[in-house]
Amino acid sequence: MERAELKGVILEVDYVTRNSRSVIRATLKSADGVHTLYDPRVLPYFYLVPHNESIDVDALSKMEIRIESDLVKIAAVEKSKTYDRGKDVVTLKVSVNNARHVPKISEHLGEFGVCYENDILFWKRYLIDNNLSPLSPVRVVAQREGDDLNILEIENAPDGEVPVTHMCFDIETYNPQAAPRPDKDPVLMVSYANNKESGVLTTKKISKPFIKTYAGEREMIDAFTDLIKRLDPDVIVGYNSVNFDIPYLLSRAKTLKTEFTISRYGEETKKEPHGLVEFVKAPGRINLDLYHVVKFVSVVGASEKLIRVNSFKLGEIYEAVTGSDKKMVEKDNIWQMWDGPDKERETLAEYSLDDSIALNELYNFFIPLELEVARVTGTTLGEASISTTGQLVEYLLMRYARLHNELIPNKPDTEEIETRLENPIEGAYVKTPEAGIYDNIAVFDFRGLYPSIIITHNIDPGTLCTDCKEYFEAPDGTKFRKDRLGITPTVLKKLIAERAEVKKAYKKDPDNKFLAARSSALKILANSFYGYLGYARSRWYSRACAAAVTAFGRSYIAKTMDEAEKMGFKVLYGDTDSIFLLIGKRSKEDVMEFLKRMNGLLPDTMELELEDFYTRGVFVGKRGAEGTSGAKKKYALLSEHGRIKIRGFELVRRDWSYVARNTQKRVLETILKEGSKEKAVGIVKEVIEKLRKGDIPIKDLVIYTQIRKKLSQYDVKSPEIYAAKKAIEKGFKKRDELEGAVVGYVITKHGNSISEKAELEALAEDYDPEYYIMHQVVPATMKILKELGYSEEELKGGGSQRRLLG
């Protein structure tokens, strides 16, 4: 039989069923093309920890279990020893022929003991057991048997990486009822783009060079399927395509009695659940919904460009990333443009094409980070793109648990989750600042405080002990053994060491965006371990571990503050892993001497770093509080190099209007850069005057809020709920369009209460100036201006200044 040695990267892994047996299928991309590989050597399995260690293994292996109408045999049972959170346990590895039988067989065997790892998907187990990381180089020895190429050997390789190709796409649909109806409304256009070509498929003749016209919708969808086959992309990229574009195309294809699939193997393309989200399974290809990627990057703070976005609409993300505007049309008018004159259809075609071209640019921007997240965690790109940081940490821990012969803990049930949530963990130490404006500030950060604490003190659920002889003891009295390294610190130590090497390489090659992305991926994951330990739904949850980490954190922060004050500095603010010192008459050399002394007192794995020197900073009071009590995580700083750092103000939140956020930003910049409180007040008065005259555009008054539940589940009728329900009553929107969506609304002049005055942006014809003055602009700026001695009355044109700060 023919043998072949291949080098390349794994794109996707799943399994097929043959003769009632599950067989792993892997899609490998090598320099000479794409190969479909099968691995019939392995079987699905789970573990049983028996109540009685003398259980009859032979009898257990001969059991037959009824599943529906079939009697199913267990393939094999092997006895071995593993670790369960640091303790030796006898386990039985139960192998089965069909992955779909695992839940029922494990349920049946539950009377003999506790089953573990019976919820780990077969393809994921394959990657874990072989320590394989998709999109990283592998070497495969395979043998041709009939039409199959079966794996004989598979291992990681030092080289063999190949480029991954992609294609972005977007659709436009007919929508006379605002929301398109897949059973009635046709797809009008399908646009596509990659790094080499782009175009639009449609059913009407349009005089543009990028247009390809087809006789009807069915022919257009068939042509799009053929286009995917011709371009043969490894990654299919859309934006909210899991919830709209792909299901819509599948529905239209069914209505038109044709087939549409993005699968490489011609198999069915279908949606599947993944936690709180869904994803599209397309065997042989990676389906990437960039909407999920953007949200992930925004949540973890991996892109400064996304901090100020008000929504995750494609146009706004494109503008934030590129600084350019994307061609836009009024979505609700698409059907009219289609039915209108040629010029309108040309504009619609240009808009459709621009969607895919913009998406292609965004893909090129985001894909390095997403690729490295997938590689580091050892999961597929498609899986990584829809995973939370907690799920990514879990993938890593699963991999290392297998390497260290540790049982992977089971997921908690609902009752256990509720119990965990009832017992919250004490948080970090916070020294709130005195509200005011300060000059000459030095800001310090502990580099990876919580990860370094976990490593330094061997914090892990498997190292917890009460009677061990040698141990680390947390300030809260929790003990962690020293004689056996836990999985959590083991993984963290590796991540941090690798990041140090990557950063060295990046300094030598600063244009290498993949090195930068890998460094970011490693940092994101390392910083997520503490949160995972205390996350109520995690497999490796440990309240004792999480509480010990924060207890150590509070201790180190307090110790650092004490040392700073001993050296003559005044501590302005401290929070979690950061300390702000007022330099006063001390020199920068004194600051660096403090830094050197402090690092000499800390464990080797821990380091205090100087973030920067700041010439001026604004710290505001707590909401509704009188006096000088400051708020945590709410400040603005101006560095010596002119960089402004802002935390916690409305300008970084989407639930405040642009006019409030922009006015606040201008006030902060004026105070920080020019030191002019009079000019800052003048800015606010000018905006108030424009609001009263009606000179502010409605688009600057939109407030964005996400409707997270079904509309019927809201008891309190907040502005966004009123606005959404009115839009439904008017036939402007459908309920399913709004539930779960981020909606933008404006407070108009019409109605008795603020909620009653709310209208969706597209329906708002005017605005209530006094609302935006009293509830947006003034509150957003008074947090700052009250520290300069100004009152609300003076901002609004009356009253007098209460006090002046020198």
Side-chain angles (χ1 to χ4, degrees), residues 165-169 190-192 194 197 201 220-237 246 249 259-266 269 282 285 287:
T165 62
H166 72 279
M167 184 195 78
C168 301
F169 82 102
V190 182
S191 63
Y192 71 96
N194 58 25
E197 67 174 274
L201 286 59
M220 178 183 66
I221 292 175
D222 289 344
F224 183 50
T225 302
D226 292 340
L227 176 71
I228 293 171
K229 291 177 182 176
R230 175 176 70 82
L231 295 177
D232 196 23
D234 303 317
V235 187
I236 301 280
V237 188
I246 292 175
L249 283 166
E259 292 184 2
F260 171 73
T261 181
I262 60 174
S263 163
R264 201 165 229 146
Y265 303 128
T269 299
R285 295 194 209 278
N287 178 68

Side-chain angles (χ1 to χ4, degrees), residues 354-612:
D354 203 41
D355 268 358
S356 287
I357 291 175
L359 189 56
N360 188 61
E361 286 188 63
L362 292 177
Y363 172 85
N364 290 328
F365 177 80
F366 287 109
I367 196 58
L369 176 63
E370 202 60 33
L371 278 171
E372 294 305 328
V373 167
R375 286 168 174 158
V376 171
T377 55
T379 191
T380 63
L381 178 61
E383 181 89 356
S385 70
I386 52 174
S387 296
T388 63
T389 54
Q391 289 167 331
L392 294 170
V393 167
E394 194 159 275
Y395 297 152
L396 268 172
L397 288 173
M398 283 181 174
R399 182 174 295 266
Y400 278 84
R402 178 57 57 241
L403 287 172
H404 291 81
N405 198 29
E406 284 264 8
L407 276 176
I408 296 171
N410 288 327
K411 289 181 179 179
D413 58 24
T414 303
E415 184 178 350
E416 175 64 20
I417 291 170
E418 290 174 354
T419 301
R420 293 173 179 182
L421 290 171
E422 289 171 359
N423 197 10
I425 297 160
E426 185 180 353
Y429 173 82
V430 178
K431 172 183 167 54
T432 56
E434 294 290 313
I437 299 169
Y438 299 88
D439 293 333
N440 298 326
I441 304 167
V443 177
F444 301 88
D445 284 313
F446 279 99
R447 185 174 67 185
L449 178 61
Y450 285 177
S452 62
I453 286 172
I454 291 170
I455 293 170
T456 301
H457 303 287
N458 199 26
I459 296 175
D460 182 79
T463 61
L464 282 164
C465 64
T466 54
D467 57 355
C468 43
K469 293 180 180 179
E470 294 188 10
Y471 53 84
F472 298 101
E473 185 170 356
D476 64 357
T478 308
K479 296 176 183 178
F480 301 93
R481 64 193 309 154
K482 289 185 176 182
D483 62 343
R484 185 173 183 272
L485 190 61
I487 288 179
T488 308
T490 298
V491 178
L492 271 174
K493 197 171 184 177
K494 182 180 183 300
L495 293 178
I496 291 170
E498 183 181 348
R499 185 166 186 251
E501 292 302 312
V502 169
K503 288 175 76 174
K504 287 179 186 177
Y506 183 55
K507 283 183 179 180
K508 296 177 183 178
D509 187 8
D511 295 326
N512 190 321
K513 61 184 180 181
F514 286 96
L515 284 175
R518 191 165 187 88
S519 178
S520 294
L522 290 164
K523 180 180 179 181
I524 289 166
L525 290 164
N527 288 339
S528 301
F529 271 73
Y530 159 72
Y532 180 75
L533 283 173
Y535 178 52
R537 289 175 169 79
S538 79
R539 293 177 187 266
W540 273 272
Y541 171 87
S542 172
R543 187 188 185 283
C545 288
V549 172
T550 56
F552 272 120
R554 292 190 297 272
S555 175
Y556 283 118
I557 286 287
K559 182 177 181 179
T560 305
M561 290 181 179
D562 288 344
E563 290 298 325
E565 291 182 348
K566 285 178 185 177
M567 293 186 67
F569 296 101
K570 181 179 178 182
V571 179
L572 171 63
Y573 175 46
D575 187 0
T576 310
D577 60 356
S578 299
I579 298 172
F580 295 55
L581 300 183
L582 292 176
I583 299 173
K585 296 181 179 179
R586 308 299 296 273
S587 66
K588 288 185 178 179
E589 288 75 18
D590 294 331
V591 172
M592 301 312 293
E593 179 62 30
F594 159 72
L595 186 63
K596 181 179 179 181
R597 171 175 168 74
M598 195 62 232
N599 279 322
L601 298 172
L602 294 170
D604 292 340
T605 55
M606 205 169 294
E607 184 179 358
L608 187 68
E609 295 180 312
L610 175 69
E611 180 194 286
D612 211 341

Side-chain angles (χ1 to χ4, degrees), residues 49 142 199 514 566 627 715 722 726 739:
V49 177
F514 286 96
K566 285 178 185 177
D715 295 326
Y722 260 100
K726 283 193 280 187
E739 291 176 344

Side-chain angles (χ1 to χ4, degrees), residues 304-375:
E304 288 288 329
K305 294 182 178 182
L306 295 187
I307 285 178
R308 293 174 176 84
V309 296
N310 293 316
S311 72
F312 292 103
K313 293 179 180 177
L314 179 62
E316 185 159 353
I317 299 301
Y318 180 76
E319 182 181 353
V321 169
T322 68
S324 303
D325 291 332
K326 193 187 80 65
K327 188 176 185 67
M328 300 298 294
V329 302
E330 187 60 51
K331 286 235 176 210
D332 293 329
N333 295 337
I334 285 177
W335 68 282
Q336 293 172 317
M337 297 177 74
W338 179 255
D339 290 339
D342 291 348
K343 196 70 178 174
E344 289 284 287
R345 279 191 294 278
E346 289 177 10
T347 300
L348 182 59
E350 289 170 349
Y351 162 75
S352 178
L353 180 65
D354 203 41
D355 268 358
S356 287
I357 291 175
L359 189 56
N360 188 61
E361 286 188 63
L362 292 177
Y363 172 85
N364 290 328
F365 177 80
F366 287 109
I367 196 58
L369 176 63
E370 202 60 33
L371 278 171
E372 294 305 328
V373 167
R375 286 168 174 158

Side-chain angles (χ1 to χ4, degrees), residues 41-199:
R41 303 172 302 163
V42 296
L43 288 173
Y45 68 87
F46 61 93
Y47 287 104
L48 174 70
V49 177
H51 298 314
N52 184 352
E53 291 186 10
S54 61
I55 188 171
D56 189 336
V57 175
D58 187 54
L60 195 68
S61 64
K62 294 177 180 177
M63 288 183 64
E64 291 184 336
I65 297 159
R66 182 167 294 281
I67 298 178
E68 296 176 351
S69 59
D70 297 324
L71 279 177
V72 176
K73 293 182 178 181
I74 294 172
V77 179
E78 303 169 63
K79 196 171 187 177
S80 63
K81 282 190 176 181
T82 57
Y83 295 107
D84 182 11
R85 300 210 173 195
K87 298 178 181 178
D88 292 340
V89 292
V90 172
T91 56
L92 301 179
K93 180 182 176 181
V94 182
S95 299
V96 301
N97 286 309
N98 193 312
R100 289 195 293 270
H101 294 162
V102 169
K104 283 289 185 183
I105 292 176
S106 60
E107 181 183 350
H108 186 83
L109 297 187
E111 64 176 292
F112 301 105
V114 180
C115 294
Y116 288 87
E117 305 188 21
N118 54 337
D119 60 347
I120 298 174
L121 299 176
F122 185 29
W123 67 264
K124 194 175 292 186
R125 180 176 291 289
Y126 183 77
L127 293 174
I128 291 170
D129 288 355
N130 289 281
N131 196 27
L132 299 173
S133 180
L135 303 170
S136 295
V138 294
R139 170 187 166 272
V140 179
V141 176
Q143 181 171 282
R144 179 72 64 184
E145 296 181 17
D147 293 333
D148 292 348
L149 197 56
N150 290 337
I151 296 171
L152 299 176
E153 300 174 27
I154 184 166
E155 61 184 1
N156 294 306
D159 55 18
E161 188 170 333
V162 292
V164 175
T165 62
H166 72 279
M167 184 195 78
C168 301
F169 82 102
D170 186 67
I171 68 172
E172 309 304 334
T173 56
Y174 199 67
N175 59 340
Q177 301 297 319
R181 301 159 295 182
D183 59 328
K184 296 180 180 179
D185 297 326
V187 176
L188 307 177
M189 296 176 179
V190 182
S191 63
Y192 71 96
N194 58 25
N195 292 337
K196 294 181 179 179
E197 67 174 274
S198 60

